[in-house]
Amino acid sequence: MSKKKKIILFIALIVTVVTLGIIIGVTLSNKDSKPKEPEKTETKKEESTKEDEISLKEDLTFSLNANIPTVQDFVTENAEGTLTIYLEDKEYQEETLTKVGTYKVTIKINDETYETTFKVLDTEKPELKLKEVTITEGSKYTIKSFITSCTDNSNEDCVLSFTKEEMAKYTKTGTYDIEITAKDSSENTTNAKTKLTIKAKNNSSKTENPTSSSSTTTEDVASISYKYGVKITTTETVTYKVNSDGTKTEISRKTKKTSYDKSTFKATTAELTPEATSNAKKYSAQINEVLKYVNEYRAEVGASPLVLDNDLIIAANVRATEMAWSEKFSHTRPDGTSCFTVSPNKAFAENIAYGWGGMYSTAKSVSEGWKASPGHYQNMIDSGYQTIGIGMYNLNGTYYWVQLFGY
């Protein structure tokens, strides 16, 4: 090989080595420049598995006159603790929720303090009962002339008004339709209808007494009211003194007959709950007596005793109330749904009963009646159940009873 060729070959070798060095350097540089993966953190994991974490339920509402809520009403997990309620920055110490408004709550669980609020709403309409009014032409009447009673669960006075202004101004002889609206402070309203009769002076019905300047007359007066959509017609015998000028003054009033059109029943669970809550207290003695008999039956077969659950008690009283007012004695509710929709997360079996004329009028008699029925008895002694709610309703001497069982 010539000297010239050796020089060319040497130069080519040097170029090759330099090129390879650059490529290797770039490759190593690129490898080192890749971003590092972030270090793993356990913070979220630690937070999500934090022991004794409590979650509060939000936007809770309770009905006026409901029982004071418990800690369990506010937390999503089973937890024990203490609860303090405030209204208008003062500690609330009554036994029931008797005032509409927003309440503040402080809950202490495992040395931790939680704060939340809840609202008490009044959704129950006033109960308005009217009577028919008969006057003589020239006599005056007011809206209160038509009122037999108007009551509200708030214990406040009803605000009354005619639905039409002209109803307060009738003067000519004839019979007129009267409709009155009763409203409470929460804007719940009830309408009821009745009649106004204006008679001519010379047509006054009276029994003459030649030795007196006045006489008496007796009339049957019908009044109509509504409860849970049920039309209630009350007929009363009213005795008036007829004065010499033809006006009348009521002397006495006696109920003659009351009838119910239950085909028009229409009430939701929310609308029934206030009275159900009230009845849970009203019939607490009967509820505890039924519980006593049930647990005696369970002891006979070696089953552990049931304990009362407040939610199931209210639900059972809702069922008893709706059966009484709808006259639908069935495990299907008046709205067509299953009886368990009254408390879908707690009620898993139901016993019902009703009677009148002394039948099933006591806790003992209805408990013995359930025991004598194999299906009802099996619910009462089933060892799987741990809780119970008991309801009762008395409507004109007919007693309605309900048991709801839970785990």
Side-chain angles (χ1 to χ4, degrees), residues 171-217:
T171 57
K172 296 181 179 180
T173 58
T175 299
Y176 302 90
D177 292 325
I178 299 294
E179 185 175 12
I180 293 174
T181 298
K183 182 169 64 174
D184 64 18
S185 58
S186 295
E187 301 297 321
N188 299 306
T189 60
T190 298
N191 285 5
K193 297 179 180 180
T194 186
K195 299 284 185 181
L196 167 66
T197 300
I198 302 178
K199 294 183 177 181
K201 285 185 179 180
N202 58 357
N203 290 331
S204 297
S205 174
K206 60 183 180 179
T207 303
E208 295 294 344
N209 184 347
T211 62
S212 173
S213 60
S214 64
S215 59
T216 61
T217 182

Short mmCIF file of all heavy atoms in Angstrom, two decimals, residues 171-217:
data_model
loop_
_atom_site.label_atom_id
_atom_site.label_comp_id
_atom_site.label_asym_id
_atom_site.label_seq_id
_atom_site.Cartn_x
_atom_site.Cartn_y
_atom_site.Cartn_z
N THR A 171 -127.37 40.23 51.00
CA THR A 171 -128.44 40.83 51.81
C THR A 171 -129.82 40.37 51.38
O THR A 171 -130.76 40.41 52.17
CB THR A 171 -128.38 42.37 51.72
OG1 THR A 171 -128.48 42.76 50.34
CG2 THR A 171 -127.09 42.90 52.31
N LYS A 172 -129.97 39.94 50.14
CA LYS A 172 -131.29 39.57 49.63
C LYS A 172 -131.63 38.13 50.01
O LYS A 172 -130.76 37.30 50.24
CB LYS A 172 -131.33 39.73 48.11
CG LYS A 172 -131.14 41.17 47.65
CD LYS A 172 -131.22 41.27 46.14
CE LYS A 172 -131.06 42.71 45.68
NZ LYS A 172 -131.14 42.84 44.20
N THR A 173 -132.93 37.85 50.06
CA THR A 173 -133.38 36.49 50.39
C THR A 173 -132.85 35.50 49.36
O THR A 173 -132.72 35.81 48.17
CB THR A 173 -134.91 36.41 50.45
OG1 THR A 173 -135.45 36.82 49.18
CG2 THR A 173 -135.47 37.30 51.54
N GLY A 174 -132.54 34.30 49.83
CA GLY A 174 -132.02 33.26 48.94
C GLY A 174 -131.00 32.40 49.67
O GLY A 174 -130.69 32.60 50.84
N THR A 175 -130.48 31.40 48.95
CA THR A 175 -129.45 30.50 49.49
C THR A 175 -128.18 30.69 48.68
O THR A 175 -128.20 30.65 47.44
CB THR A 175 -129.91 29.03 49.43
OG1 THR A 175 -131.10 28.88 50.22
CG2 THR A 175 -128.84 28.12 50.00
N TYR A 176 -127.09 30.88 49.37
CA TYR A 176 -125.82 31.22 48.72
C TYR A 176 -124.73 30.21 49.10
O TYR A 176 -124.69 29.72 50.24
CB TYR A 176 -125.37 32.62 49.14
CG TYR A 176 -126.36 33.71 48.83
CD1 TYR A 176 -127.34 34.07 49.75
CD2 TYR A 176 -126.33 34.38 47.60
CE1 TYR A 176 -128.25 35.08 49.47
CE2 TYR A 176 -127.23 35.40 47.31
CZ TYR A 176 -128.20 35.74 48.24
OH TYR A 176 -129.11 36.73 47.97
N ASP A 177 -123.86 29.93 48.13
CA ASP A 177 -122.67 29.12 48.39
C ASP A 177 -121.60 29.99 49.05
O ASP A 177 -121.30 31.08 48.56
CB ASP A 177 -122.12 28.52 47.09
CG ASP A 177 -123.05 27.48 46.50
OD1 ASP A 177 -123.69 26.74 47.28
OD2 ASP A 177 -123.14 27.40 45.26
N ILE A 178 -121.06 29.49 50.13
CA ILE A 178 -119.99 30.19 50.85
C ILE A 178 -118.75 29.30 50.85
O ILE A 178 -118.82 28.11 51.17
CB ILE A 178 -120.40 30.50 52.30
CG1 ILE A 178 -121.63 31.42 52.32
CG2 ILE A 178 -119.24 31.14 53.07
CD1 ILE A 178 -121.41 32.80 51.77
N GLU A 179 -117.61 29.88 50.51
CA GLU A 179 -116.34 29.16 50.58
C GLU A 179 -115.35 30.00 51.37
O GLU A 179 -115.18 31.18 51.10
CB GLU A 179 -115.77 28.86 49.19
CG GLU A 179 -114.51 28.01 49.23
CD GLU A 179 -114.02 27.61 47.85
OE1 GLU A 179 -114.52 28.18 46.86
OE2 GLU A 179 -113.15 26.74 47.76
N ILE A 180 -114.71 29.35 52.35
CA ILE A 180 -113.80 30.05 53.26
C ILE A 180 -112.43 29.40 53.20
O ILE A 180 -112.31 28.18 53.13
CB ILE A 180 -114.36 30.03 54.71
CG1 ILE A 180 -115.64 30.88 54.77
CG2 ILE A 180 -113.32 30.54 55.72
CD1 ILE A 180 -116.36 30.81 56.09
N THR A 181 -111.41 30.24 53.23
CA THR A 181 -110.03 29.78 53.24
C THR A 181 -109.43 30.01 54.63
O THR A 181 -109.57 31.09 55.19
CB THR A 181 -109.18 30.52 52.20
OG1 THR A 181 -109.69 30.25 50.89
CG2 THR A 181 -107.72 30.08 52.26
N ALA A 182 -108.78 28.96 55.15
CA ALA A 182 -108.03 29.07 56.40
C ALA A 182 -106.55 28.91 56.09
O ALA A 182 -106.16 28.00 55.37
CB ALA A 182 -108.48 28.01 57.39
N LYS A 183 -105.74 29.81 56.61
CA LYS A 183 -104.29 29.79 56.32
C LYS A 183 -103.52 29.88 57.63
O LYS A 183 -103.94 30.57 58.56
CB LYS A 183 -103.93 30.97 55.41
CG LYS A 183 -102.48 31.04 55.01
CD LYS A 183 -102.25 32.05 53.89
CE LYS A 183 -102.55 33.46 54.33
NZ LYS A 183 -102.20 34.47 53.30
N ASP A 184 -102.40 29.15 57.70
CA ASP A 184 -101.54 29.25 58.87
C ASP A 184 -100.31 30.09 58.54
O ASP A 184 -100.14 30.56 57.42
CB ASP A 184 -101.17 27.87 59.43
CG ASP A 184 -100.33 27.05 58.45
OD1 ASP A 184 -99.75 27.62 57.51
OD2 ASP A 184 -100.25 25.82 58.62
N SER A 185 -99.43 30.25 59.52
CA SER A 185 -98.28 31.13 59.34
C SER A 185 -97.26 30.59 58.35
O SER A 185 -96.38 31.33 57.90
CB SER A 185 -97.58 31.36 60.69
OG SER A 185 -97.17 30.13 61.26
N SER A 186 -97.36 29.30 57.99
CA SER A 186 -96.46 28.71 57.00
C SER A 186 -97.09 28.68 55.61
O SER A 186 -96.60 28.00 54.72
CB SER A 186 -96.06 27.29 57.42
OG SER A 186 -95.31 27.31 58.60
N GLU A 187 -98.19 29.40 55.44
CA GLU A 187 -98.89 29.53 54.17
C GLU A 187 -99.57 28.25 53.72
O GLU A 187 -99.92 28.10 52.54
CB GLU A 187 -97.94 30.01 53.05
CG GLU A 187 -97.27 31.37 53.34
CD GLU A 187 -98.28 32.50 53.45
OE1 GLU A 187 -99.26 32.51 52.67
OE2 GLU A 187 -98.08 33.37 54.31
N ASN A 188 -99.78 27.29 54.63
CA ASN A 188 -100.61 26.12 54.31
C ASN A 188 -102.07 26.55 54.35
O ASN A 188 -102.49 27.23 55.28
CB ASN A 188 -100.38 25.00 55.32
CG ASN A 188 -98.94 24.53 55.33
OD1 ASN A 188 -98.40 24.17 54.29
ND2 ASN A 188 -98.31 24.51 56.50
N THR A 189 -102.83 26.16 53.35
CA THR A 189 -104.22 26.61 53.27
C THR A 189 -105.19 25.45 53.13
O THR A 189 -104.87 24.40 52.56
CB THR A 189 -104.43 27.57 52.08
OG1 THR A 189 -104.09 26.87 50.85
CG2 THR A 189 -103.56 28.79 52.21
N THR A 190 -106.39 25.66 53.66
CA THR A 190 -107.49 24.72 53.53
C THR A 190 -108.73 25.50 53.12
O THR A 190 -109.01 26.56 53.69
CB THR A 190 -107.77 24.01 54.87
OG1 THR A 190 -106.62 23.26 55.25
CG2 THR A 190 -108.95 23.06 54.74
N ASN A 191 -109.46 24.97 52.16
CA ASN A 191 -110.73 25.56 51.75
C ASN A 191 -111.88 24.66 52.17
O ASN A 191 -111.77 23.43 52.10
CB ASN A 191 -110.79 25.77 50.24
CG ASN A 191 -109.94 26.95 49.78
OD1 ASN A 191 -109.23 27.54 50.58
ND2 ASN A 191 -110.01 27.28 48.52
N ALA A 192 -112.97 25.25 52.59
CA ALA A 192 -114.17 24.50 52.94
C ALA A 192 -115.41 25.28 52.46
O ALA A 192 -115.37 26.51 52.38
CB ALA A 192 -114.23 24.25 54.44
N LYS A 193 -116.45 24.53 52.16
CA LYS A 193 -117.67 25.15 51.62
C LYS A 193 -118.85 24.90 52.54
O LYS A 193 -118.93 23.89 53.23
CB LYS A 193 -117.97 24.59 50.23
CG LYS A 193 -116.90 24.90 49.19
CD LYS A 193 -117.26 24.29 47.85
CE LYS A 193 -116.19 24.61 46.80
NZ LYS A 193 -116.52 24.01 45.47
N THR A 194 -119.80 25.86 52.52
CA THR A 194 -121.03 25.71 53.29
C THR A 194 -122.12 26.55 52.62
O THR A 194 -121.95 26.98 51.46
CB THR A 194 -120.80 26.13 54.76
OG1 THR A 194 -121.98 25.84 55.50
CG2 THR A 194 -120.45 27.60 54.89
N LYS A 195 -123.21 26.80 53.33
CA LYS A 195 -124.34 27.54 52.76
C LYS A 195 -124.76 28.68 53.68
O LYS A 195 -124.66 28.59 54.90
CB LYS A 195 -125.55 26.61 52.56
CG LYS A 195 -125.33 25.45 51.61
CD LYS A 195 -125.35 25.89 50.16
CE LYS A 195 -125.25 24.70 49.23
NZ LYS A 195 -125.24 25.11 47.79
N LEU A 196 -125.23 29.76 53.05
CA LEU A 196 -125.87 30.86 53.76
C LEU A 196 -127.29 30.98 53.23
O LEU A 196 -127.50 31.09 52.01
CB LEU A 196 -125.12 32.17 53.54
CG LEU A 196 -125.86 33.45 53.98
CD1 LEU A 196 -126.03 33.48 55.50
CD2 LEU A 196 -125.14 34.70 53.49
N THR A 197 -128.28 30.93 54.14
CA THR A 197 -129.68 31.11 53.75
C THR A 197 -130.21 32.39 54.39
O THR A 197 -130.10 32.57 55.60
CB THR A 197 -130.54 29.92 54.21
OG1 THR A 197 -130.03 28.72 53.60
CG2 THR A 197 -131.99 30.11 53.80
N ILE A 198 -130.74 33.26 53.54
CA ILE A 198 -131.36 34.50 54.03
C ILE A 198 -132.87 34.40 53.77
O ILE A 198 -133.29 34.22 52.62
CB ILE A 198 -130.79 35.74 53.31
CG1 ILE A 198 -129.26 35.81 53.53
CG2 ILE A 198 -131.45 37.01 53.83
CD1 ILE A 198 -128.60 36.97 52.81
N LYS A 199 -133.63 34.45 54.84
CA LYS A 199 -135.08 34.31 54.74
C LYS A 199 -135.77 35.67 54.88
O LYS A 199 -135.25 36.57 55.55
CB LYS A 199 -135.61 33.37 55.83
CG LYS A 199 -135.16 31.93 55.68
CD LYS A 199 -135.78 31.05 56.75
CE LYS A 199 -135.40 29.59 56.57
NZ LYS A 199 -136.02 28.73 57.60
N ALA A 200 -136.91 35.76 54.23
CA ALA A 200 -137.72 36.96 54.39
C ALA A 200 -138.28 37.01 55.81
O ALA A 200 -138.53 35.97 56.42
CB ALA A 200 -138.86 36.98 53.38
N LYS A 201 -138.49 38.18 56.32
CA LYS A 201 -138.93 38.31 57.71
C LYS A 201 -140.25 37.61 57.97
O LYS A 201 -140.44 36.98 58.99
CB LYS A 201 -139.05 39.79 58.08
CG LYS A 201 -137.71 40.47 58.30
CD LYS A 201 -137.91 41.91 58.77
CE LYS A 201 -136.57 42.59 59.02
NZ LYS A 201 -136.73 43.99 59.50
N ASN A 202 -141.18 37.69 57.01
CA ASN A 202 -142.49 37.10 57.23
C ASN A 202 -142.51 35.59 57.01
O ASN A 202 -143.53 34.95 57.15
CB ASN A 202 -143.55 37.75 56.32
CG ASN A 202 -143.17 37.62 54.86
OD1 ASN A 202 -142.10 37.10 54.51
ND2 ASN A 202 -144.06 38.12 53.99
N ASN A 203 -141.34 35.02 56.63
CA ASN A 203 -141.25 33.58 56.45
C ASN A 203 -140.45 32.90 57.56
O ASN A 203 -140.09 31.74 57.45
CB ASN A 203 -140.59 33.25 55.11
CG ASN A 203 -141.50 33.60 53.95
OD1 ASN A 203 -142.72 33.57 54.10
ND2 ASN A 203 -140.90 33.93 52.81
N SER A 204 -140.19 33.62 58.64
CA SER A 204 -139.39 33.06 59.72
C SER A 204 -140.11 31.87 60.33
O SER A 204 -141.31 31.93 60.60
CB SER A 204 -139.13 34.10 60.80
OG SER A 204 -138.37 35.16 60.28
N SER A 205 -139.39 30.80 60.51
CA SER A 205 -139.95 29.59 61.11
C SER A 205 -139.80 29.69 62.60
O SER A 205 -138.69 29.74 63.12
CB SER A 205 -139.20 28.35 60.59
OG SER A 205 -139.66 27.21 61.27
N LYS A 206 -140.92 29.74 63.30
CA LYS A 206 -140.83 29.86 64.75
C LYS A 206 -142.08 29.31 65.41
O LYS A 206 -143.14 29.17 64.78
CB LYS A 206 -140.63 31.31 65.15
CG LYS A 206 -141.75 32.26 64.71
CD LYS A 206 -141.42 33.68 65.09
CE LYS A 206 -142.55 34.63 64.64
NZ LYS A 206 -142.25 36.01 65.03
N THR A 207 -141.96 28.99 66.67
CA THR A 207 -143.09 28.52 67.47
C THR A 207 -143.54 29.68 68.33
O THR A 207 -142.79 30.17 69.18
CB THR A 207 -142.66 27.34 68.35
OG1 THR A 207 -142.14 26.32 67.52
CG2 THR A 207 -143.83 26.80 69.15
N GLU A 208 -144.77 30.15 68.10
CA GLU A 208 -145.24 31.34 68.79
C GLU A 208 -145.54 31.05 70.25
O GLU A 208 -146.04 29.98 70.61
CB GLU A 208 -146.52 31.88 68.12
CG GLU A 208 -146.32 32.37 66.69
CD GLU A 208 -145.46 33.59 66.63
OE1 GLU A 208 -145.26 34.24 67.68
OE2 GLU A 208 -144.95 33.91 65.54
N ASN A 209 -145.21 31.96 71.08
CA ASN A 209 -145.52 31.90 72.50
C ASN A 209 -146.27 33.17 72.84
O ASN A 209 -145.69 34.24 72.90
CB ASN A 209 -144.24 31.79 73.32
CG ASN A 209 -144.53 31.63 74.81
OD1 ASN A 209 -145.66 31.84 75.26
ND2 ASN A 209 -143.49 31.27 75.57
N PRO A 210 -147.62 33.08 73.02
CA PRO A 210 -148.43 34.29 73.20
C PRO A 210 -148.06 35.07 74.45
O PRO A 210 -148.41 36.23 74.57
CB PRO A 210 -149.87 33.75 73.30
CG PRO A 210 -149.70 32.31 73.72
CD PRO A 210 -148.42 31.86 73.10
N THR A 211 -147.34 34.46 75.39
CA THR A 211 -147.02 35.17 76.62
C THR A 211 -145.61 35.74 76.61
O THR A 211 -145.15 36.27 77.60
CB THR A 211 -147.16 34.22 77.82
OG1 THR A 211 -146.22 33.15 77.67
CG2 THR A 211 -148.57 33.66 77.90
N SER A 212 -144.94 35.64 75.46
CA SER A 212 -143.55 36.12 75.41
C SER A 212 -143.32 36.88 74.12
O SER A 212 -143.99 36.65 73.12
CB SER A 212 -142.59 34.92 75.51
OG SER A 212 -141.27 35.34 75.30
N SER A 213 -142.34 37.75 74.15
CA SER A 213 -142.00 38.51 72.96
C SER A 213 -141.03 37.75 72.06
O SER A 213 -140.62 38.26 71.04
CB SER A 213 -141.37 39.86 73.36
OG SER A 213 -140.19 39.62 74.11
N SER A 214 -140.62 36.53 72.44
CA SER A 214 -139.73 35.72 71.63
C SER A 214 -140.18 34.27 71.64
O SER A 214 -141.03 33.87 72.45
CB SER A 214 -138.29 35.81 72.16
OG SER A 214 -138.22 35.28 73.46
N SER A 215 -139.62 33.45 70.72
CA SER A 215 -139.96 32.03 70.64
C SER A 215 -138.70 31.27 70.27
O SER A 215 -137.63 31.86 70.11
CB SER A 215 -141.06 31.82 69.60
OG SER A 215 -140.63 32.29 68.34
N THR A 216 -138.81 29.97 70.13
CA THR A 216 -137.64 29.15 69.76
C THR A 216 -137.93 28.36 68.50
O THR A 216 -139.10 28.10 68.15
CB THR A 216 -137.28 28.17 70.89
OG1 THR A 216 -138.38 27.28 71.13
CG2 THR A 216 -136.93 28.92 72.17
N THR A 217 -136.87 28.00 67.81
CA THR A 217 -136.97 27.15 66.64
C THR A 217 -135.75 26.22 66.60
O THR A 217 -134.69 26.58 67.10
CB THR A 217 -137.02 27.98 65.34
OG1 THR A 217 -137.17 27.10 64.22
CG2 THR A 217 -135.75 28.79 65.13
#
